[in-house]
Amino acid sequence: MPISYLTHLKCPKCGKTYDADKVTQLCLCGSPLLAQYDLESARKALKKSDLANREPSLWRYREILPVKDDKNIVSLGEGMTPIIPLKTIGPKLGLNNLYLKDEGIIPTGTFKARGAAVGVSRAKEVGIKALAMPTNGNAGAAWSIYTARAGIKCIIVMPEDAPEITRNECAITGADLYLVNGLISDAGKIVGRAVAKHSIFDASTLKEPYRIEGKKTMGLEIAEQFNWEVPDVILYPTGGGVGIIGIYKALKELQSMGWIGEKMPRLVAVQATGCAPIVKAWEEKKEASVFWENAKTIAFGITVPKALGDFLVLQAVYETNGCAIAVADDEILKAQVDLAAAEGAFVCPEGAACLAAASKLREQGWIGADEKVVILNTGTGLKYPDTVQVELPVLKPEEDVKI
Amino acid sequence: MPISYLTHLKCPKCGKTYDADKVTQLCLCGSPLLAQYDLESARKALKKSDLANREPSLWRYREILPVKDDKNIVSLGEGMTPIIPLKTIGPKLGLNNLYLKDEGIIPTGTFKARGAAVGVSRAKEVGIKALAMPTNGNAGAAWSIYTARAGIKCIIVMPEDAPEITRNECAITGADLYLVNGLISDAGKIVGRAVAKHSIFDASTLKEPYRIEGKKTMGLEIAEQFNWEVPDVILYPTGGGVGIIGIYKALKELQSMGWIGEKMPRLVAVQATGCAPIVKAWEEKKEASVFWENAKTIAFGITVPKALGDFLVLQAVYETNGCAIAVADDEILKAQVDLAAAEGAFVCPEGAACLAAASKLREQGWIGADEKVVILNTGTGLKYPDTVQVELPVLKPEEDVKI
């Protein structure tokens, strides 16, 4: 029976450690906390070949996930999303080894399911009965769904402009859902006040330590799916940045376990020109970002003016010799259409941003023609109907199509 | 290297056989054709244990799928959808072993991806360059997506009332999309005229023989996921009926290969009271159904007034001692909400219909309390935003949530 090798929580800023089995939010210094494992024991307990007989979900990496008792696992079958070769559009853009990791094929239709599955499971394990969070839509939907399954009360605050379908997802589970006439930062302040006043657990991005453990499984899967030879470049649409932080953490853990070699993929933080605080910080070689005023982009999921984990995102980029790059909304929309027409993949604008960014970085020579490149699509295009503009002929039953 | 053991096509009505490598539609007698395999050789070539090392997609059953050459496989990573235990709502309904096979977690968000992946792959293999089909939305979306990936021209005709998101899916791939002011039967007539006039391949339900081969993988997966001990009952939302026909075909093939024993699950065809031709036929012990006038239900995907394969659906139900049952739209909507709130699964109305039907059959005593029961959810709730009615409080940034 596989077990978790979770040991404690540690602050990546000041180094202070915390008991993982107590309910904990941020470090006293204000930094997010990261889960730590006894990787040496995990390495001895788990062989690569053990994975073949495990179910195709993120729970296959049980030993380096934080949930200790199986009975606390709250799962809807999330994980092991496909990696799809882009053999048509890749070579057209001069990228001969381009792949799409498709996080649209997961419960709730976005990668947020990973963070919610692991975060909610661990919340259940440490005894949390109610939690609150601000969201741009998809995270709130995922946490509503998984808390419903766990029997945990859930309070969600989201901007009025967030994708409408995500409201429905929250509402149908019976979560307490509020809209705010503002941005996610405004929703965050409302949640902050509620949490302070009512002693509810704050499940905001990186304010609890386990969402990132769910997100890191994207990195574990990429390594496994490429047979433990990591790709050269991974492009990731970066809002709160938990995904890119998680992927980096996963790869470092796999290195510690000796499952991958010294080579790291160059991690690329992709943002939209309408909200690019990480890109600005990277260009200025800063260690943290500055609040981005008047943030606005069609890629709603990455409209995050100032991420709590910005310094960890930048660290992942710097330490892997990666980069940060912004693309415009019209480039995003064009990439979305081009990808669907060439490859049949209907991705969200955030995923399309990565394709546009890969194309630019190839043009600039930053990516070589034969390098192995993975773009992360964080969600299905189904959740963003408004990005597709279409005028259609309406026939009467007796009329004919025109060929 | 695994190969396909496809041998020929056979008419289940008159027994006439056809060369599988030629482009073929219906039998001369008007019946759909079914793909046949050399199951004895497949049994020798493939061991159950071989599956562990194959990727978690429907292509793991390569030997009993019709595509001969790997290079013709058109895949977006479809299949091996999770089976989710319903441990909260199941016992509430008196069903102690209730499971959900969740086909929402698949490219395009519905089970139609299976038929499209295999159908389009085989169309590519036999050299088809253009195809046309009528659709209630989801099948058209899936075939648009997979034909785009295959480089095959695709003409789609769908009712104006079909779910809007499915239009976008077709349109973004560049398919030729037409709406019709009528039902799928009207769309079918338009396609029929186009096919006759322009010598295009007709990809209508069961008018080509390979979509069913994709759908049958649901049956193969259920058997594998339950460790080759089939459940007692499978409930399936039945429109065109390809899924239930496919599941039955799969189980018969597994029996021939000796991979499962003599026990068959009782197959239940679930329909809506607003369009229940199969239920009517079953109640009257008929072998075929009669066109259902004024068909209308919120479960749009099963609004099929007369299915070409109705006799095969009824055969699957009769031969497994199954049944056919209709549920009302209000029962469907209630089941959808109940399931989301209790289990965190946001299913489509067609999937919800199966939960409502399972509950009814338990009440009637037709299903026993401890029987192992699988309900098929054919798609994600994300594609049907209109089924969720919600009124929400809108806060100003300075306002507080009410707890």
Side-chain angles (χ1 to χ4, degrees):
Chain A
M1 189 94 136
I3 60 159
S4 168
Y5 287 90
L6 177 69
T7 52
H8 60 285
L9 299 172
K10 188 177 174 184
C11 175
K13 232 177 196 164
C14 75
K16 193 171 160 55
T17 62
Y18 294 82
D19 182 346
D21 292 330
K22 295 210 171 115
V23 176
T24 313
Q25 307 243 223
L26 293 174
C27 180
L28 291 172
C29 83
S31 164
L33 294 170
L34 299 179
Q36 306 295 317
Y37 299 83
D38 176 358
L39 295 172
E40 182 54 26
S41 297
R43 187 184 65 78
K44 285 179 191 152
L46 180 64
K47 302 274 160 280
K48 286 177 186 176
S49 57
D50 293 337
L51 296 176
N53 292 310
R54 296 191 178 179
E55 65 168 12
S57 83
L58 60 82
W59 299 101
R60 62 203 279 107
Y61 309 110
R62 192 74 179 72
E63 285 81 354
I64 47 174
L65 289 175
V67 181
K68 293 186 173 175
D69 191 331
D70 276 353
K71 76 173 193 292
N72 295 314
I73 291 178
V74 183
S75 176
L76 290 160
E78 53 288 329
M80 281 307 269
T81 58
I83 291 188
I84 301 166
L86 303 180
K87 290 186 185 165
T88 303
I89 201 165
K92 263 188 211 167
L93 301 175
L95 293 158
N96 298 325
N97 290 295
L98 185 63
Y99 298 85
L100 180 77
K101 171 87 172 154
D102 194 355
E103 293 286 304
I105 303 165
I106 202 165
T108 78
T110 82
F111 74 127
K112 300 285 185 182
R114 292 181 191 266
V118 175
V120 169
S121 296
R122 186 68 181 148
K124 184 178 169 193
E125 188 154 82
V126 299
I128 289 161
K129 304 291 178 208
L131 56 81
M133 65 187 295
T135 177
N136 269 339
N138 285 321
W143 283 73
S144 296
I145 295 258
Y146 283 90
T147 49
R149 189 160 176 82
I152 293 174
K153 181 181 167 70
C154 183
I155 299 152
I156 301 285
V157 188
M158 70 166 75
E160 257 190 311
D161 291 341
E164 212 173 320
I165 185 71
T166 62
R167 295 183 195 177
N168 297 9
E169 290 179 86
C170 297
I172 200 169
T173 66
D176 283 358
L177 174 61
Y178 298 84
L179 303 180
V180 59
N181 177 12
L183 286 180
I184 189 171
S185 39
D186 298 302
K189 284 172 199 155
I190 294 173
V191 166
R193 292 196 302 269
V195 161
K197 195 168 164 187
H198 302 283
S199 309
I200 299 161
F201 188 66
D202 188 345
S204 304
T205 307
L206 291 173
K207 287 194 182 166
E208 64 75 50
Y210 299 110
R211 185 197 294 209
I212 188 174
E213 296 304 299
K215 296 281 184 76
K216 88 176 179 194
T217 57
M218 290 188 285
L220 300 175
E221 290 178 16
I222 290 172
E224 184 183 352
Q225 288 169 311
F226 281 105
N227 202 22
W228 313 106
E229 300 276 344
V230 296
D232 298 296
V233 178
I234 299 176
L235 294 105
Y236 190 85
T238 307
V242 185
I244 196 168
I245 301 168
I247 290 171
Y248 183 57
K249 184 171 190 280
L251 296 174
K252 295 284 278 185
E253 289 175 357
L254 289 177
Q255 279 184 335
S256 290
M257 291 171 69
W259 281 31
I260 60 171
E262 279 186 19
K263 178 185 165 185
M264 271 278 170
R266 287 153 22 230
L267 298 179
V268 179
V270 177
Q271 299 200 302
T273 49
C275 182
I278 299 286
V279 177
K280 186 162 184 293
W282 179 79
E283 285 171 349
E284 294 169 355
K285 300 193 169 55
K286 297 277 173 61
E287 282 177 20
S289 66
V290 174
F291 188 95
W292 189 274
E293 299 291 342
N294 304 315
K296 195 166 178 61
T297 159
I298 183 124
F300 203 77
I302 52 174
T303 316
V304 180
K306 163 79 181 171
L308 189 58
D310 56 355
F311 71 102
L312 294 170
V313 173
L314 287 159
Q315 197 180 318
V317 170
Y318 291 133
E319 290 183 1
T320 61
N321 298 310
C323 70
I325 181 170
V327 291
D329 278 9
D330 59 345
E331 295 173 306
I332 291 173
L333 290 175
K334 183 175 180 302
Q336 194 194 28
V337 172
D338 289 349
L339 186 59
E343 302 283 355
F346 181 27
V347 302
C348 65
E350 295 81 3
C354 291
L355 180 66
S359 174
K360 271 196 172 174
L361 291 172
R362 175 70 196 100
E363 276 170 29
Q364 295 168 11
W366 193 89
I367 299 178
D370 294 325
E371 288 197 293
K372 200 173 274 186
V373 179
V374 175
I375 58 178
L376 239 306
N377 172 43
T378 44
T380 171
L382 295 176
K383 298 192 88 168
Y384 302 77
D386 300 341
T387 59
V388 185
Q389 296 304 324
V390 52
E391 277 190 38
L392 295 172
V394 181
L395 305 178
K396 291 175 195 147
E398 64 276 16
E399 287 181 299
D400 283 329
V401 302
K402 281 156 215 111
I403 293 175
Chain B
M1 187 93 137
I3 61 159
S4 168
Y5 288 89
L6 177 70
T7 52
H8 60 285
L9 299 172
K10 187 176 175 186
C11 175
K13 231 175 197 166
C14 74
K16 190 170 162 56
T17 61
Y18 293 83
D19 181 347
D21 293 330
K22 295 210 172 115
V23 175
T24 312
Q25 308 242 227
L26 293 173
C27 180
L28 290 172
C29 82
S31 164
L33 294 170
L34 299 179
Q36 306 296 316
Y37 298 83
D38 175 359
L39 295 171
E40 182 53 27
S41 297
R43 188 183 64 77
K44 285 180 190 152
L46 180 64
K47 302 271 159 283
K48 285 177 184 174
S49 57
D50 294 337
L51 295 176
N53 291 308
R54 295 191 179 179
E55 64 168 14
S57 83
L58 62 82
W59 298 102
R60 64 203 279 108
Y61 308 110
R62 193 73 181 74
E63 285 81 354
I64 47 174
L65 289 175
V67 181
K68 294 188 172 175
D69 191 330
D70 276 352
K71 75 171 194 291
N72 295 316
I73 291 178
V74 183
S75 176
L76 290 160
E78 55 287 330
M80 281 307 268
T81 57
I83 290 188
I84 301 167
L86 303 181
K87 290 186 186 166
T88 303
I89 201 164
K92 263 188 210 166
L93 301 176
L95 293 158
N96 298 325
N97 290 294
L98 185 63
Y99 297 86
L100 179 76
K101 171 87 172 156
D102 193 355
E103 292 286 304
I105 303 166
I106 202 166
T108 79
T110 82
F111 75 126
K112 300 285 185 180
R114 293 182 190 265
V118 176
V120 169
S121 295
R122 186 68 181 147
K124 184 180 169 190
E125 188 155 82
V126 299
I128 288 162
K129 304 293 177 205
L131 57 81
M133 65 188 294
T135 178
N136 269 340
N138 285 321
W143 283 73
S144 294
I145 295 257
Y146 284 90
T147 50
R149 189 161 175 82
I152 292 173
K153 182 182 166 70
C154 183
I155 299 152
I156 301 285
V157 187
M158 71 166 74
E160 257 189 310
D161 291 341
E164 212 173 321
I165 186 70
T166 61
R167 294 183 195 177
N168 296 9
E169 290 179 86
C170 297
I172 199 168
T173 66
D176 284 357
L177 174 61
Y178 298 83
L179 303 180
V180 60
N181 177 11
L183 286 181
I184 190 171
S185 39
D186 298 302
K189 284 173 199 155
I190 293 173
V191 166
R193 293 196 301 269
V195 161
K197 194 167 164 189
H198 302 283
S199 310
I200 299 162
F201 188 66
D202 189 344
S204 305
T205 308
L206 290 173
K207 287 194 182 166
E208 64 75 49
Y210 298 110
R211 184 196 296 211
I212 189 175
E213 296 303 299
K215 296 281 185 74
K216 89 176 178 193
T217 58
M218 290 187 285
L220 300 175
E221 289 178 16
I222 289 172
E224 183 183 353
Q225 289 170 310
F226 281 105
N227 202 23
W228 313 108
E229 299 276 344
V230 297
D232 298 297
V233 178
I234 300 176
L235 294 105
Y236 191 85
T238 306
V242 184
I244 197 168
I245 301 168
I247 290 170
Y248 184 57
K249 184 171 189 282
L251 296 173
K252 296 284 279 186
E253 289 175 357
L254 289 176
Q255 280 184 334
S256 290
M257 290 171 69
W259 280 32
I260 60 171
E262 278 185 21
K263 178 186 166 184
M264 270 280 170
R266 281 144 37 221
L267 298 178
V268 179
V270 178
Q271 300 200 299
T273 48
C275 181
I278 298 288
V279 177
K280 186 163 185 291
W282 180 78
E283 286 170 349
E284 295 169 356
K285 299 193 170 58
K286 297 277 172 63
E287 282 177 22
S289 66
V290 174
F291 188 95
W292 189 274
E293 299 292 341
N294 305 315
K296 195 165 179 60
T297 158
I298 182 121
F300 203 79
I302 51 174
T303 318
V304 179
K306 164 78 182 171
L308 189 58
D310 56 356
F311 69 101
L312 293 169
V313 173
L314 287 158
Q315 195 181 319
V317 170
Y318 291 131
E319 289 183 1
T320 61
N321 298 310
C323 70
I325 182 170
V327 290
D329 279 8
D330 59 345
E331 295 173 305
I332 291 174
L333 291 174
K334 182 174 181 303
Q336 193 193 30
V337 172
D338 289 350
L339 186 60
E343 302 283 354
F346 181 28
V347 303
C348 66
E350 294 82 2
C354 290
L355 181 66
S359 173
K360 271 196 174 175
L361 290 173
R362 175 70 196 100
E363 276 170 29
Q364 295 169 11
W366 193 88
I367 299 179
D370 294 324
E371 287 197 295
K372 199 172 276 185
V373 178
V374 176
I375 57 178
L376 239 306
N377 172 42
T378 45
T380 171
L382 296 175
K383 300 193 87 168
Y384 303 76
D386 300 341
T387 58
V388 186
Q389 296 304 323
V390 52
E391 276 189 38
L392 294 172
V394 180
L395 305 178
K396 290 175 195 148
E398 64 275 15
E399 288 182 299
D400 283 330
V401 302
K402 282 157 216 113
I403 293 175

